[in-house]
Amino acid sequence: MTVVTRFAPSPTGFLHIGGARTALFNKLFAKHHGGQYLLRIEDTDAKRSTQEAIDAIYDALSWLGLECDEEPVSQSARRDRHAKVAQQLLDSGHAYRCYASPEELTEMRAQQKAAGQPTRYDGRWRDRAPSEAPAGVDPVIRLRAPQDGETVLEDLVQGQVTVANAQLDDMILLRSDGSPTYMLSVVVDDYDMGITHVIRGDDHLTNAFRQIQIFKAMGWKTPIYGHVPLIHGPDGAKLSKRHGALGAEAYRDMGFLPEALRNYLLRLGWGHGDDEIISDEQAIAWFDGSGLGKAPARFDTAKLTALNTHYLKAADNGHLVSLITPGLEQNTGVPMDELASSRLLAGMESLKERAKTLVDLTESAALYVRGRPLVMEPKAAKILSDEPRVVLAAARNALSDLQPWTAEALENWAREYAESHHLKLGQLAQPLRAAVTGSNVSPPIFEVIAIFGRDETLSRIEDIAEST
Ligand code: GLU
């Protein structure tokens, strides 16, 4: 059997972080088994399912590297097929027409409530002859669900879960306007797409019993389900807006790398021993459906940040340059040219060591992009008072013929120069940093100066001298 999984989001305007985890689990499970991972957009709610909302899901999935293996399926495009299956169920006697009016059903529920009974459809049209159908009423089609026995779910995560069939009423499959219900659509789509395993949030656990009943009525093999507990916030309550961002794209905007978020989401509700850093290859090799926790995992931004710090350090320097270039251009208003790009690349190793997110990295990288004359940050301006300016001007002359122009040689020179001029290293290095970077914080200053090169460095020091 080839394993086929799917992610079936309903467009809401963004990819929910829990949905991203569901997509990841389904993709990994399929890849682990050498199978396929498909995408179905559950776009039957026309109001919410705008192209924009659908594109937001595609964008976020593609950013996260969770694209599907085949063309995505649109649920709304398959209405006719869903209706046909309802008709088939009707023909085989597994479904029937119900002519009960909304008023009648409201009254039925009121009576059930008053009698302290659970409110469910009482099967009033289950055994009535078609000849009793009232004229001019469009019926709904309901499943003739089993009334005795139980429906058993062997869940990959929850274990065996059983529901007495008496608790499940005859659900509507097709509404009176001929539109299929969600429950019917999901089953028909899962069957037609050849889905063998459904991993999804446990908010769908109760739906699974009803879906299994439809599968059985059609004589179709039921997929294997795995209902994963929903993600909770740090306080233990279901993750909601008040805990922070819910959309995956918000994490992109906060400067998280997709590989860090993937690794984080993977560990959220699934474990492989004590492993924290898990590569995509390891994840595929290990994600076999076991190790999924029954208790809801808590979203912890600090852990995500720690992973991001790790993945930033591990990332290719050139890749990081290209990731931050648009943001850098926007922040500095300076278009990135080849020289800035090559300086940034040279400085990236040190910059990424100090960054927690791409946002941090973009901020700290601006020093390689901003050109002369520098706008001094207030703290840098403060460093450059009269005395340090004199130190700088003298040091500039000594620097002008230093050979070679490397970080190491510059640092050695600075130590010797400071010593011979009765200065502390900081009394030389801090003004240098301020003059060359416009800031009081930077990556190791001699590395920065080495990257800028002699001419640029000397010019920046001269700018300070001239600005007195
Ligand atoms: N469309 C449903 C949702 O977004 C998922 C349905 C399913 O996975 O069966 O919650």
Side-chain angles (χ1 to χ4, degrees), residues 375-425:
V375 178
M376 289 289 141
E377 287 175 12
K379 282 186 180 162
K382 210 171 160 198
I383 290 169
L384 294 169
S385 56
D386 292 345
E387 212 174 304
R389 280 170 190 260
V390 175
V391 170
L392 267 187
R396 184 222 163 273
N397 293 334
L399 266 179
S400 62
D401 45 27
L402 178 77
Q403 290 293 350
W405 192 267
T406 62
E408 200 189 349
L410 282 159
E411 185 165 355
N412 288 338
W413 162 81
R415 287 187 190 285
E416 284 164 21
Y417 184 91
E419 204 179 311
S420 58
H421 290 75
H422 309 290
L423 297 166
K424 286 190 188 135
L425 183 60

Side-chain angles (χ1 to χ4, degrees), residues 290-419:
S290 62
L292 285 163
K294 267 197 205 182
R298 294 183 184 199
F299 199 90
D300 180 346
T301 312
K303 272 195 182 168
L304 170 60
T305 307
L307 277 174
N308 205 51
T309 308
H310 167 86
Y311 281 98
L312 274 174
K313 286 194 185 109
D316 174 73
N317 293 341
H319 177 57
L320 290 175
V321 170
S322 61
L323 281 181
I324 65 171
T325 293
L328 260 176
E329 291 184 328
Q330 203 182 357
N331 286 1
T332 59
V334 182
M336 192 78 136
D337 59 12
E338 240 174 78
L339 180 61
S341 212
S342 68
R343 284 177 179 159
L344 183 53
L345 184 63
M348 187 52 82
E349 195 62 32
S350 292
L351 287 171
K352 71 182 186 183
E353 284 287 324
R354 289 161 180 77
K356 289 191 169 126
T357 65
L358 288 174
V359 173
D360 293 348
L361 190 65
T362 310
E363 268 172 30
S364 59
L367 96 113
Y368 289 117
V369 179
R370 289 199 181 103
R372 298 172 46 220
L374 288 184
V375 178
M376 289 289 141
E377 287 175 12
K379 282 186 180 162
K382 210 171 160 198
I383 290 169
L384 294 169
S385 56
D386 292 345
E387 212 174 304
R389 280 170 190 260
V390 175
V391 170
L392 267 187
R396 184 222 163 273
N397 293 334
L399 266 179
S400 62
D401 45 27
L402 178 77
Q403 290 293 350
W405 192 267
T406 62
E408 200 189 349
L410 282 159
E411 185 165 355
N412 288 338
W413 162 81
R415 287 187 190 285
E416 284 164 21
Y417 184 91
E419 204 179 311

Side-chain angles (χ1 to χ4, degrees), residues 6 8-10 42 182 186 200 204:
R6 50 59 162 193
S10 310
E42 304 212 313
Y182 169 71
V186 168
R200 62 186 175 188
H204 288 282

Side-chain angles (χ1 to χ4, degrees), residues 200-218:
R200 62 186 175 188
D202 68 2
D203 50 336
H204 288 282
L205 183 65
T206 50
N207 289 343
F209 295 101
R210 293 185 174 279
Q211 291 168 6
I212 290 171
Q213 290 191 335
I214 303 177
F215 273 103
K216 288 203 169 143
M218 283 303 290

Side-chain angles (χ1 to χ4, degrees), residues 84-104:
K84 265 193 196 129
V85 171
Q87 185 61 46
Q88 252 174 282
L89 286 166
L90 202 56
D91 295 345
S92 66
H94 284 97
Y96 61 92
R97 292 194 175 89
C98 165
Y99 293 87
S101 67
E103 298 74 34
E104 208 185 320

